[in-house]
PDB file of all heavy atoms in Angstrom:
ATOM      1  N   LEU A 147       8.158  12.022   5.509  1.00  0.00           N
ATOM      2  CA  LEU A 147       8.627  12.839   6.628  1.00  0.00           C
ATOM      3  C   LEU A 147      10.121  13.079   6.459  1.00  0.00           C
ATOM      4  O   LEU A 147      10.937  12.170   6.644  1.00  0.00           O
ATOM      5  CB  LEU A 147       8.359  12.146   7.962  1.00  0.00           C
ATOM      6  CG  LEU A 147       6.968  12.334   8.561  1.00  0.00           C
ATOM      7  CD1 LEU A 147       6.789  11.457   9.787  1.00  0.00           C
ATOM      8  CD2 LEU A 147       6.727  13.780   8.930  1.00  0.00           C
ATOM      9  N   SER A 148      10.482  14.295   6.112  1.00  0.00           N
ATOM     10  CA  SER A 148      11.885  14.664   5.917  1.00  0.00           C
ATOM     11  C   SER A 148      12.400  15.299   7.197  1.00  0.00           C
ATOM     12  O   SER A 148      11.810  16.266   7.696  1.00  0.00           O
ATOM     13  CB  SER A 148      12.008  15.647   4.750  1.00  0.00           C
ATOM     14  OG  SER A 148      13.348  16.051   4.567  1.00  0.00           O
ATOM     15  N   HIS A 149      13.506  14.781   7.725  1.00  0.00           N
ATOM     16  CA  HIS A 149      14.012  15.291   9.001  1.00  0.00           C
ATOM     17  C   HIS A 149      15.495  14.968   9.150  1.00  0.00           C
ATOM     18  O   HIS A 149      16.002  14.024   8.538  1.00  0.00           O
ATOM     19  CB  HIS A 149      13.246  14.653  10.161  1.00  0.00           C
ATOM     20  CG  HIS A 149      13.519  13.190  10.326  1.00  0.00           C
ATOM     21  ND1 HIS A 149      12.992  12.235   9.484  1.00  0.00           N
ATOM     22  CD2 HIS A 149      14.279  12.503  11.229  1.00  0.00           C
ATOM     23  CE1 HIS A 149      13.397  11.033   9.861  1.00  0.00           C
ATOM     24  NE2 HIS A 149      14.184  11.159  10.908  1.00  0.00           N
ATOM     25  N   SER A 150      16.144  15.752   9.972  1.00  0.00           N
ATOM     26  CA  SER A 150      17.513  15.449  10.354  1.00  0.00           C
ATOM     27  C   SER A 150      17.494  14.316  11.376  1.00  0.00           C
ATOM     28  O   SER A 150      16.586  14.227  12.217  1.00  0.00           O
ATOM     29  CB  SER A 150      18.184  16.688  10.957  1.00  0.00           C
ATOM     30  OG  SER A 150      19.360  16.341  11.666  1.00  0.00           O
ATOM     31  N   SER A 151      18.504  13.466  11.327  1.00  0.00           N
ATOM     32  CA  SER A 151      18.583  12.380  12.313  1.00  0.00           C
ATOM     33  C   SER A 151      18.680  12.931  13.729  1.00  0.00           C
ATOM     34  O   SER A 151      18.312  12.252  14.695  1.00  0.00           O
ATOM     35  CB  SER A 151      19.784  11.483  12.008  1.00  0.00           C
ATOM     36  OG  SER A 151      20.993  12.231  12.072  1.00  0.00           O
ATOM     37  N   LYS A 152      19.152  14.182  13.872  1.00  0.00           N
ATOM     38  CA  LYS A 152      19.258  14.787  15.193  1.00  0.00           C
ATOM     39  C   LYS A 152      17.910  15.266  15.725  1.00  0.00           C
ATOM     40  O   LYS A 152      17.800  15.661  16.888  1.00  0.00           O
ATOM     41  CB  LYS A 152      20.257  15.951  15.152  1.00  0.00           C
ATOM     42  CG  LYS A 152      21.676  15.495  14.827  1.00  0.00           C
ATOM     43  CD  LYS A 152      22.640  16.659  14.736  1.00  0.00           C
ATOM     44  CE  LYS A 152      24.054  16.185  14.397  1.00  0.00           C
ATOM     45  NZ  LYS A 152      25.012  17.305  14.252  1.00  0.00           N
ATOM     46  N   ASP A 153      16.890  15.244  14.876  1.00  0.00           N
ATOM     47  CA  ASP A 153      15.530  15.605  15.285  1.00  0.00           C
ATOM     48  C   ASP A 153      14.632  14.368  15.316  1.00  0.00           C
ATOM     49  O   ASP A 153      13.427  14.455  15.101  1.00  0.00           O
ATOM     50  CB  ASP A 153      14.937  16.647  14.333  1.00  0.00           C
ATOM     51  CG  ASP A 153      15.700  17.955  14.357  1.00  0.00           C
ATOM     52  OD1 ASP A 153      16.086  18.391  15.456  1.00  0.00           O
ATOM     53  OD2 ASP A 153      15.915  18.536  13.278  1.00  0.00           O
ATOM     54  N   LYS A 154      15.229  13.217  15.595  1.00  0.00           N
ATOM     55  CA  LYS A 154      14.488  11.960  15.512  1.00  0.00           C
ATOM     56  C   LYS A 154      13.308  11.913  16.479  1.00  0.00           C
ATOM     57  O   LYS A 154      12.247  11.373  16.149  1.00  0.00           O
ATOM     58  CB  LYS A 154      15.416  10.779  15.791  1.00  0.00           C
ATOM     59  CG  LYS A 154      14.750   9.414  15.585  1.00  0.00           C
ATOM     60  CD  LYS A 154      15.740   8.277  15.796  1.00  0.00           C
ATOM     61  CE  LYS A 154      15.098   6.934  15.469  1.00  0.00           C
ATOM     62  NZ  LYS A 154      13.905   6.660  16.278  1.00  0.00           N
ATOM     63  N   LEU A 155      13.457  12.472  17.688  1.00  0.00           N
ATOM     64  CA  LEU A 155      12.348  12.438  18.642  1.00  0.00           C
ATOM     65  C   LEU A 155      11.122  13.151  18.090  1.00  0.00           C
ATOM     66  O   LEU A 155      10.006  12.636  18.166  1.00  0.00           O
ATOM     67  CB  LEU A 155      12.774  13.066  19.971  1.00  0.00           C
ATOM     68  CG  LEU A 155      13.692  12.225  20.865  1.00  0.00           C
ATOM     69  CD1 LEU A 155      14.112  13.025  22.079  1.00  0.00           C
ATOM     70  CD2 LEU A 155      12.992  10.947  21.293  1.00  0.00           C
ATOM     71  N   ALA A 156      11.328  14.341  17.509  1.00  0.00           N
ATOM     72  CA  ALA A 156      10.209  15.085  16.935  1.00  0.00           C
ATOM     73  C   ALA A 156       9.641  14.348  15.736  1.00  0.00           C
ATOM     74  O   ALA A 156       8.419  14.313  15.529  1.00  0.00           O
ATOM     75  CB  ALA A 156      10.661  16.488  16.539  1.00  0.00           C
ATOM     76  N   ALA A 157      10.517  13.746  14.908  1.00  0.00           N
ATOM     77  CA  ALA A 157      10.051  13.007  13.734  1.00  0.00           C
ATOM     78  C   ALA A 157       9.222  11.798  14.143  1.00  0.00           C
ATOM     79  O   ALA A 157       8.165  11.527  13.553  1.00  0.00           O
ATOM     80  CB  ALA A 157      11.247  12.589  12.889  1.00  0.00           C
ATOM     81  N   ASP A 158       9.683  11.063  15.151  1.00  0.00           N
ATOM     82  CA  ASP A 158       8.921   9.911  15.630  1.00  0.00           C
ATOM     83  C   ASP A 158       7.561  10.351  16.180  1.00  0.00           C
ATOM     84  O   ASP A 158       6.546   9.665  15.982  1.00  0.00           O
ATOM     85  CB  ASP A 158       9.696   9.177  16.719  1.00  0.00           C
ATOM     86  CG  ASP A 158      10.882   8.395  16.167  1.00  0.00           C
ATOM     87  OD1 ASP A 158      10.926   8.165  14.944  1.00  0.00           O
ATOM     88  OD2 ASP A 158      11.766   8.026  16.970  1.00  0.00           O
ATOM     89  N   ALA A 159       7.541  11.481  16.868  1.00  0.00           N
ATOM     90  CA  ALA A 159       6.280  11.989  17.410  1.00  0.00           C
ATOM     91  C   ALA A 159       5.323  12.349  16.287  1.00  0.00           C
ATOM     92  O   ALA A 159       4.134  12.007  16.328  1.00  0.00           O
ATOM     93  CB  ALA A 159       6.544  13.197  18.304  1.00  0.00           C
ATOM     94  N   ALA A 160       5.825  13.050  15.261  1.00  0.00           N
ATOM     95  CA  ALA A 160       4.979  13.424  14.122  1.00  0.00           C
ATOM     96  C   ALA A 160       4.449  12.189  13.423  1.00  0.00           C
ATOM     97  O   ALA A 160       3.260  12.113  13.057  1.00  0.00           O
ATOM     98  CB  ALA A 160       5.764  14.298  13.161  1.00  0.00           C
ATOM     99  N   CYS A 161       5.309  11.221  13.226  1.00  0.00           N
ATOM    100  CA  CYS A 161       4.900   9.976  12.570  1.00  0.00           C
ATOM    101  C   CYS A 161       3.814   9.269  13.375  1.00  0.00           C
ATOM    102  O   CYS A 161       2.806   8.818  12.817  1.00  0.00           O
ATOM    103  CB  CYS A 161       6.118   9.075  12.386  1.00  0.00           C
ATOM    104  SG  CYS A 161       5.774   7.528  11.521  1.00  0.00           S
ATOM    105  N   ALA A 162       4.002   9.193  14.689  1.00  0.00           N
ATOM    106  CA  ALA A 162       3.022   8.503  15.541  1.00  0.00           C
ATOM    107  C   ALA A 162       1.666   9.198  15.498  1.00  0.00           C
ATOM    108  O   ALA A 162       0.621   8.542  15.413  1.00  0.00           O
ATOM    109  CB  ALA A 162       3.537   8.436  16.974  1.00  0.00           C
ATOM    110  N   VAL A 163       1.664  10.529  15.540  1.00  0.00           N
ATOM    111  CA  VAL A 163       0.407  11.271  15.531  1.00  0.00           C
ATOM    112  C   VAL A 163      -0.300  11.109  14.185  1.00  0.00           C
ATOM    113  O   VAL A 163      -1.513  10.854  14.123  1.00  0.00           O
ATOM    114  CB  VAL A 163       0.661  12.755  15.844  1.00  0.00           C
ATOM    115  CG1 VAL A 163      -0.588  13.580  15.583  1.00  0.00           C
ATOM    116  CG2 VAL A 163       1.097  12.920  17.293  1.00  0.00           C
ATOM    117  N   LEU A 164       0.428  11.257  13.082  1.00  0.00           N
ATOM    118  CA  LEU A 164      -0.181  11.118  11.760  1.00  0.00           C
ATOM    119  C   LEU A 164      -0.722   9.704  11.554  1.00  0.00           C
ATOM    120  O   LEU A 164      -1.853   9.527  11.074  1.00  0.00           O
ATOM    121  CB  LEU A 164       0.838  11.464  10.677  1.00  0.00           C
ATOM    122  CG  LEU A 164       1.206  12.949  10.553  1.00  0.00           C
ATOM    123  CD1 LEU A 164       2.471  13.124   9.713  1.00  0.00           C
ATOM    124  CD2 LEU A 164       0.057  13.741   9.934  1.00  0.00           C
ATOM    125  N   GLU A 165       0.057   8.702  11.921  1.00  0.00           N
ATOM    126  CA  GLU A 165      -0.389   7.330  11.688  1.00  0.00           C
ATOM    127  C   GLU A 165      -1.533   6.930  12.616  1.00  0.00           C
ATOM    128  O   GLU A 165      -2.341   6.076  12.265  1.00  0.00           O
ATOM    129  CB  GLU A 165       0.794   6.376  11.812  1.00  0.00           C
ATOM    130  CG  GLU A 165       1.793   6.561  10.666  1.00  0.00           C
ATOM    131  CD  GLU A 165       2.865   5.496  10.602  1.00  0.00           C
ATOM    132  OE1 GLU A 165       3.138   4.860  11.656  1.00  0.00           O
ATOM    133  OE2 GLU A 165       3.442   5.304   9.511  1.00  0.00           O
ATOM    134  N   SER A 166      -1.612   7.561  13.791  1.00  0.00           N
ATOM    135  CA  SER A 166      -2.756   7.279  14.670  1.00  0.00           C
ATOM    136  C   SER A 166      -4.062   7.779  14.058  1.00  0.00           C
ATOM    137  O   SER A 166      -5.143   7.339  14.445  1.00  0.00           O
ATOM    138  CB  SER A 166      -2.541   7.940  16.042  1.00  0.00           C
ATOM    139  OG  SER A 166      -2.673   9.344  15.958  1.00  0.00           O
ATOM    140  N   GLU A 167      -3.946   8.697  13.076  1.00  0.00           N
ATOM    141  CA  GLU A 167      -5.123   9.216  12.373  1.00  0.00           C
ATOM    142  C   GLU A 167      -5.297   8.547  11.010  1.00  0.00           C
ATOM    143  O   GLU A 167      -6.042   9.037  10.153  1.00  0.00           O
ATOM    144  CB  GLU A 167      -4.991  10.738  12.191  1.00  0.00           C
ATOM    145  CG  GLU A 167      -4.963  11.515  13.489  1.00  0.00           C
ATOM    146  CD  GLU A 167      -6.262  11.407  14.260  1.00  0.00           C
ATOM    147  OE1 GLU A 167      -7.328  11.286  13.612  1.00  0.00           O
ATOM    148  OE2 GLU A 167      -6.217  11.420  15.505  1.00  0.00           O
ATOM    149  N   GLY A 168      -4.602   7.448  10.779  1.00  0.00           N
ATOM    150  CA  GLY A 168      -4.767   6.699   9.544  1.00  0.00           C
ATOM    151  C   GLY A 168      -3.995   7.239   8.360  1.00  0.00           C
ATOM    152  O   GLY A 168      -4.258   6.848   7.219  1.00  0.00           O
ATOM    153  N   ILE A 169      -3.033   8.133   8.599  1.00  0.00           N
ATOM    154  CA  ILE A 169      -2.219   8.712   7.531  1.00  0.00           C
ATOM    155  C   ILE A 169      -0.887   7.965   7.500  1.00  0.00           C
ATOM    156  O   ILE A 169      -0.088   8.078   8.430  1.00  0.00           O
ATOM    157  CB  ILE A 169      -2.000  10.221   7.756  1.00  0.00           C
ATOM    158  CG1 ILE A 169      -3.347  10.950   7.752  1.00  0.00           C
ATOM    159  CG2 ILE A 169      -1.072  10.796   6.693  1.00  0.00           C
ATOM    160  CD1 ILE A 169      -3.257  12.398   8.195  1.00  0.00           C
ATOM    161  N   ARG A 170      -0.631   7.205   6.454  1.00  0.00           N
ATOM    162  CA  ARG A 170       0.557   6.363   6.391  1.00  0.00           C
ATOM    163  C   ARG A 170       1.777   7.209   6.044  1.00  0.00           C
ATOM    164  O   ARG A 170       1.777   7.964   5.077  1.00  0.00           O
ATOM    165  CB  ARG A 170       0.384   5.244   5.360  1.00  0.00           C
ATOM    166  CG  ARG A 170      -0.766   4.302   5.689  1.00  0.00           C
ATOM    167  CD  ARG A 170      -0.770   3.083   4.780  1.00  0.00           C
ATOM    168  NE  ARG A 170       0.344   2.192   5.107  1.00  0.00           N
ATOM    169  CZ  ARG A 170       1.301   1.857   4.253  1.00  0.00           C
ATOM    170  NH1 ARG A 170       1.312   2.353   3.036  1.00  0.00           N
ATOM    171  NH2 ARG A 170       2.270   1.033   4.611  1.00  0.00           N
ATOM    172  N   CYS A 171       2.816   7.069   6.838  1.00  0.00           N
ATOM    173  CA  CYS A 171       4.033   7.873   6.682  1.00  0.00           C
ATOM    174  C   CYS A 171       5.191   7.010   6.199  1.00  0.00           C
ATOM    175  O   CYS A 171       5.317   5.835   6.585  1.00  0.00           O
ATOM    176  CB  CYS A 171       4.415   8.531   8.013  1.00  0.00           C
ATOM    177  SG  CYS A 171       3.192   9.680   8.644  1.00  0.00           S
ATOM    178  N   TRP A 172       6.047   7.622   5.394  1.00  0.00           N
ATOM    179  CA  TRP A 172       7.340   7.024   5.064  1.00  0.00           C
ATOM    180  C   TRP A 172       8.386   7.814   5.828  1.00  0.00           C
ATOM    181  O   TRP A 172       8.479   9.045   5.698  1.00  0.00           O
ATOM    182  CB  TRP A 172       7.616   7.108   3.566  1.00  0.00           C
ATOM    183  CG  TRP A 172       8.789   6.249   3.121  1.00  0.00           C
ATOM    184  CD1 TRP A 172       8.725   5.029   2.560  1.00  0.00           C
ATOM    185  CD2 TRP A 172      10.187   6.573   3.244  1.00  0.00           C
ATOM    186  NE1 TRP A 172       9.986   4.538   2.307  1.00  0.00           N
ATOM    187  CE2 TRP A 172      10.912   5.473   2.722  1.00  0.00           C
ATOM    188  CE3 TRP A 172      10.906   7.660   3.729  1.00  0.00           C
ATOM    189  CZ2 TRP A 172      12.305   5.439   2.681  1.00  0.00           C
ATOM    190  CZ3 TRP A 172      12.286   7.625   3.694  1.00  0.00           C
ATOM    191  CH2 TRP A 172      12.976   6.531   3.176  1.00  0.00           C
ATOM    192  N   ILE A 173       9.159   7.120   6.651  1.00  0.00           N
ATOM    193  CA  ILE A 173      10.163   7.794   7.466  1.00  0.00           C
ATOM    194  C   ILE A 173      11.409   6.921   7.523  1.00  0.00           C
ATOM    195  O   ILE A 173      11.324   5.696   7.656  1.00  0.00           O
ATOM    196  CB  ILE A 173       9.621   8.081   8.889  1.00  0.00           C
ATOM    197  CG1 ILE A 173      10.636   8.836   9.739  1.00  0.00           C
ATOM    198  CG2 ILE A 173       9.168   6.801   9.581  1.00  0.00           C
ATOM    199  CD1 ILE A 173      10.082   9.323  11.073  1.00  0.00           C
ATOM    200  N   ALA A 174      12.550   7.556   7.350  1.00  0.00           N
ATOM    201  CA  ALA A 174      13.827   6.839   7.467  1.00  0.00           C
ATOM    202  C   ALA A 174      14.280   6.870   8.933  1.00  0.00           C
ATOM    203  O   ALA A 174      13.994   7.830   9.653  1.00  0.00           O
ATOM    204  CB  ALA A 174      14.882   7.505   6.582  1.00  0.00           C
ATOM    205  N   PRO A 175      14.952   5.837   9.394  1.00  0.00           N
ATOM    206  CA  PRO A 175      15.361   4.636   8.640  1.00  0.00           C
ATOM    207  C   PRO A 175      14.334   3.518   8.682  1.00  0.00           C
ATOM    208  O   PRO A 175      14.553   2.465   8.113  1.00  0.00           O
ATOM    209  CB  PRO A 175      16.639   4.225   9.357  1.00  0.00           C
ATOM    210  CG  PRO A 175      16.399   4.616  10.779  1.00  0.00           C
ATOM    211  CD  PRO A 175      15.596   5.886  10.746  1.00  0.00           C
ATOM    212  N   ARG A 176      13.187   3.736   9.332  1.00  0.00           N
ATOM    213  CA  ARG A 176      12.227   2.657   9.549  1.00  0.00           C
ATOM    214  C   ARG A 176      11.795   1.982   8.259  1.00  0.00           C
ATOM    215  O   ARG A 176      11.677   0.750   8.201  1.00  0.00           O
ATOM    216  CB  ARG A 176      10.978   3.212  10.272  1.00  0.00           C
ATOM    217  CG  ARG A 176       9.951   2.158  10.621  1.00  0.00           C
ATOM    218  CD  ARG A 176       8.628   2.771  11.050  1.00  0.00           C
ATOM    219  NE  ARG A 176       7.913   3.389   9.935  1.00  0.00           N
ATOM    220  CZ  ARG A 176       6.712   3.954  10.050  1.00  0.00           C
ATOM    221  NH1 ARG A 176       6.130   3.997  11.233  1.00  0.00           N
ATOM    222  NH2 ARG A 176       6.117   4.499   9.005  1.00  0.00           N
ATOM    223  N   ASP A 177      11.549   2.785   7.213  1.00  0.00           N
ATOM    224  CA  ASP A 177      10.942   2.248   5.997  1.00  0.00           C
ATOM    225  C   ASP A 177      11.936   1.958   4.882  1.00  0.00           C
ATOM    226  O   ASP A 177      11.529   1.763   3.734  1.00  0.00           O
ATOM    227  CB  ASP A 177       9.850   3.208   5.507  1.00  0.00           C
ATOM    228  CG  ASP A 177       8.695   3.293   6.485  1.00  0.00           C
ATOM    229  OD1 ASP A 177       8.185   2.233   6.880  1.00  0.00           O
ATOM    230  OD2 ASP A 177       8.315   4.417   6.868  1.00  0.00           O
ATOM    231  N   ILE A 178      13.205   1.943   5.211  1.00  0.00           N
ATOM    232  CA  ILE A 178      14.206   1.532   4.230  1.00  0.00           C
ATOM    233  C   ILE A 178      14.426   0.027   4.387  1.00  0.00           C
ATOM    234  O   ILE A 178      14.789  -0.453   5.460  1.00  0.00           O
ATOM    235  CB  ILE A 178      15.529   2.301   4.419  1.00  0.00           C
ATOM    236  CG1 ILE A 178      15.307   3.785   4.142  1.00  0.00           C
ATOM    237  CG2 ILE A 178      16.615   1.743   3.510  1.00  0.00           C
ATOM    238  CD1 ILE A 178      16.533   4.646   4.330  1.00  0.00           C
ATOM    239  N   THR A 179      14.175  -0.698   3.327  1.00  0.00           N
ATOM    240  CA  THR A 179      14.311  -2.155   3.365  1.00  0.00           C
ATOM    241  C   THR A 179      15.765  -2.526   3.652  1.00  0.00           C
ATOM    242  O   THR A 179      16.677  -1.967   3.030  1.00  0.00           O
ATOM    243  CB  THR A 179      13.880  -2.765   2.024  1.00  0.00           C
ATOM    244  OG1 THR A 179      12.538  -2.356   1.737  1.00  0.00           O
ATOM    245  CG2 THR A 179      13.959  -4.290   2.065  1.00  0.00           C
ATOM    246  N   PRO A 180      15.984  -3.436   4.608  1.00  0.00           N
ATOM    247  CA  PRO A 180      17.367  -3.846   4.893  1.00  0.00           C
ATOM    248  C   PRO A 180      18.089  -4.306   3.620  1.00  0.00           C
ATOM    249  O   PRO A 180      17.560  -5.094   2.844  1.00  0.00           O
ATOM    250  CB  PRO A 180      17.184  -5.004   5.887  1.00  0.00           C
ATOM    251  CG  PRO A 180      15.876  -4.712   6.547  1.00  0.00           C
ATOM    252  CD  PRO A 180      15.020  -4.093   5.502  1.00  0.00           C
TER     253      PRO A 180
END
Side-chain angles (χ1 to χ4, degrees):
L147 276 173
S148 178
H149 68 285
S150 164
S151 61
K152 296 178 181 178
D153 297 319
K154 186 177 185 302
L155 285 175
D158 287 344
C161 183
V163 169
L164 288 165
E165 291 190 337
S166 72
E167 296 295 328
I169 299 170
R170 298 189 71 240
C171 298
W172 192 99
I173 182 171
R176 183 192 71 178
D177 295 309
I178 295 179
T179 303

